């Protein structure tokens, strides 16, 4: 019985130490940026947008799922002149499809999802904007929606 308790204690200690060892060199602040509850005293680095190509499995079914992340900016549904004074910086996305003259704003922080597009080549312009809609960074994602049973008109 004593051997079992000692072994369980060692296993528990190893389980607690392994995640700490794996995270050496990367803190929550390294990943998330500065804490949102403490005003910054130094200038913030420029905001940056990283956008992935659409996820392959949904795209093969004619569904476009685009993941992204912002660096040095938090995606929040907060707008207006006073919002630009908030530190760390907050903002949202402007999204436009196929060079449309209009865009929509997205402040969800979730992947962009487009369904119902016709088969063929498309592009999505993703613009990182501040709380007053001023562009800070942008990326264009090019992709091809394949013809599927769901998006191809039937001949009947």
């Amino acid at each position: 019985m004593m051997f079992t308790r000692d072994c369980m204690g060692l296993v528990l200690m190893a389980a607690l130490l392994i995640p700490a060892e794996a995270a050496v060199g990367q803190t929550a602040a390294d990943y998330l940026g500065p804490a949102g509850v403490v005003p910054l005293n130094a200038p913030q680095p420029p905001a940056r947008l990283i956008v992935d190509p659409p996820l392959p499995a949904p795209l093969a079914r004619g569904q476009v799922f685009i993941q992204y992340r912002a660096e040095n900016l938090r995606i929040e549904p907060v707008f207006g002149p006073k919002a630009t004074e908030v530190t760390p910086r907050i903002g949202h996305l402007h999204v436009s499809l196929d060079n449309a003259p209009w865009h929509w704003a997205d402040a969800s922080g979730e992947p962009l999802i487009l369904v119902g597009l016709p088969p063929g080549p498309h592009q999505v312009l993703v613009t990182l904007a501040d709380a007053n809609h001023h562009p800070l960074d942008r990326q264009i994602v090019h992709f091809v929606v394949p013809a599927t049973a769901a998006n191809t008109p039937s001949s009947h």
Side-chain angles (χ1 to χ4, degrees):
M1 189 68 154
M2 182 62 118
F3 177 74
T4 304
R5 285 186 190 159
D6 288 344
C7 286
M8 288 176 60
L10 287 173
V11 169
L12 180 59
M13 189 171 11
L16 293 173
L17 291 177
I18 289 172
E21 283 296 317
V24 171
Q26 181 154 2
T27 66
D30 292 336
Y31 180 74
L32 297 173
V37 295
V38 179
L40 298 177
N41 295 324
Q44 298 178 72
R48 183 170 164 232
L49 179 64
I50 296 125
V51 181
D52 292 343
L55 297 175
L59 184 59
R61 296 187 305 269
Q63 303 165 339
V64 182
F65 292 17
I66 300 173
Q67 294 181 300
Y68 67 90
R69 72 182 173 98
E71 290 183 349
N72 305 314
L73 181 139
R74 293 172 191 245
I75 303 293
E76 298 287 343
V78 179
F79 305 93
K82 290 292 185 184
T84 59
E85 299 172 15
V86 173
T87 60
R89 182 185 299 117
I90 57 175
H92 59 278
L93 300 179
H94 291 173
V95 184
S96 179
L97 175 66
D98 294 335
N99 296 311
W102 49 267
H103 65 265
W104 70 90
D106 183 282
S108 71
E110 297 297 327
L112 302 171
I113 300 173
L114 300 116
V115 295
L117 297 177
H122 296 278
Q123 70 177 25
V124 173
L125 170 62
V126 184
T127 303
L128 189 62
D130 71 11
N132 285 326
H133 306 281
H134 297 121
L136 302 171
D137 195 11
R138 61 186 242 161
Q139 299 291 325
I140 298 175
V141 180
H142 297 272
F143 56 91
V144 175
V145 173
T148 66
N151 66 14
T152 304
S154 68
S155 58
H156 295 89

